Amino acid sequence: MIEVSRARTSDVEGIHRLVEPQAGRRVLLAKETVAYYESVPEFRVVRDEAGEVVGCGALHVMWRDLAEVRTLTVREDQLGTGVGSALLHRLIEDAREIGVSRVFCLTFETDFFARHGFEAIEGIPVEHEVYSELLRSYDEGVAEFLDLERVKPNTLGNTRMLRIL
């Protein structure tokens, strides 16, 4: 049984350790440590018997009906064990609990997300008025969602995927 729990501030170093190699390969975006502390409430983690973080993922609300799965990753020795799936299932449940009806991700792992009901999309799946509001966000993830040119170097090759809940 894989136990997925809400992240604590004490998990930030472990989350950072998981993300750092992925960011180096440009699979995930690098973030400053302060950004992880600011987003602790968005994160879910899986810890091993020693309490070390072996998987993490976050759900970031972007709009009334839209959230993004972010920073979903597992330690290399945990690939294929169900940790990633357990995290994604919990994040989807979190989205439902808070009233979100659509979940977005930007990923290289298209097969994984497709197995969990995500479909590749083209364009921006929000109305013009919402797009205009989202442009005001300082969040880099929102810029990725909006497919803004300034984030293109960081997102080349990623697939934009969406799941309707």
Side-chain angles (χ1 to χ4, degrees), residues 4 44 56-59 69-70 72 82-94 103 105 112-118 163:
V4 178
R44 294 288 186 164
C56 66
L59 183 74
V69 170
R70 294 183 170 179
L72 181 62
V83 169
S85 291
L87 282 161
L88 184 55
H89 285 293
R90 182 65 244 184
L91 295 171
I92 296 295
E93 286 305 309
D94 289 347
V103 179
C105 70
F112 171 80
F113 280 95
R115 284 194 308 272
H116 293 86
F118 285 76
R163 177 172 168 180

Side-chain angles (χ1 to χ4, degrees), residues 8-54:
R8 301 182 304 237
T9 56
S10 59
D11 294 320
V12 167
E13 288 180 27
I15 291 169
H16 192 265
R17 276 193 301 276
L18 282 179
V19 173
E20 194 170 3
Q22 299 291 341
R25 291 191 293 270
R26 299 183 72 185
V27 173
L28 294 175
L29 285 178
K31 296 179 184 174
E32 298 295 333
T33 303
V34 67
Y36 292 116
Y37 282 110
E38 290 172 342
S39 58
V40 162
E42 297 179 352
F43 270 91
R44 294 288 186 164
V45 296
V46 172
R47 298 178 195 90
D48 64 12
E49 305 81 36
E52 185 174 335
V53 176
V54 298

Side-chain angles (χ1 to χ4, degrees), residues 5 10 15 35 41 58 81 88 98-99 106-107 109 118 128 130 143 165:
S5 53
S10 59
I15 291 169
T81 64
L88 184 55
I98 62 174
L106 186 65
T107 185
E109 300 296 334
F118 285 76
H128 179 71
V130 174
L165 305 183

